[in-house]
Amino acid sequence: VPAPGPAEDTTGAPRPLRRRVRGATLRSTADAARQAARPAPRPADADAVRSALEEFEAAVERAHRDSAGQTAPHDRRDQNHLTEGAEQ
């Protein structure tokens, strides 16, 4: 009696083949290699982060103060005008 093939079980009835997922085995190998090659993240400098955050908060506060003093434009042409420092 010949041995059952890969698509047959011991009863001789064909069993469904598993569907191959393209790159399924490569993905896990590539991710592991990428993770191993990536340097460990350095801890953030607390003083630099605090300084950047304070700078951002001050800029937001200035923007709130500047926009509170402006009135809504009555002319459509004024809506396209950029405030000082907002030019790109």
Side-chain angles (χ1 to χ4, degrees):
V1 175
E8 296 178 359
D9 61 15
T10 55
T11 63
R15 61 183 166 103
L17 296 175
R18 290 179 29 199
R19 183 175 293 264
R20 181 182 181 276
V21 177
R22 183 182 184 121
T25 56
L26 297 176
R27 189 176 314 131
S28 61
T29 305
D31 288 343
R34 241 184 272 123
Q35 187 69 22
R38 188 177 299 160
R42 295 183 311 184
D45 178 15
D47 291 331
V49 172
R50 187 176 301 110
S51 175
L53 185 58
E54 288 172 353
E55 215 173 289
F56 174 75
E57 289 174 339
V60 169
E61 188 61 37
R62 280 193 307 273
H64 283 290
R65 276 197 316 264
D66 291 348
S67 65
Q70 295 179 353
T71 58
H74 299 290
D75 189 20
R76 190 160 183 79
R77 289 174 288 169
D78 291 338
Q79 290 178 351
N80 295 329
H81 177 71
L82 295 174
T83 59
E84 182 179 314
E87 291 97 21
Q88 294 181 341

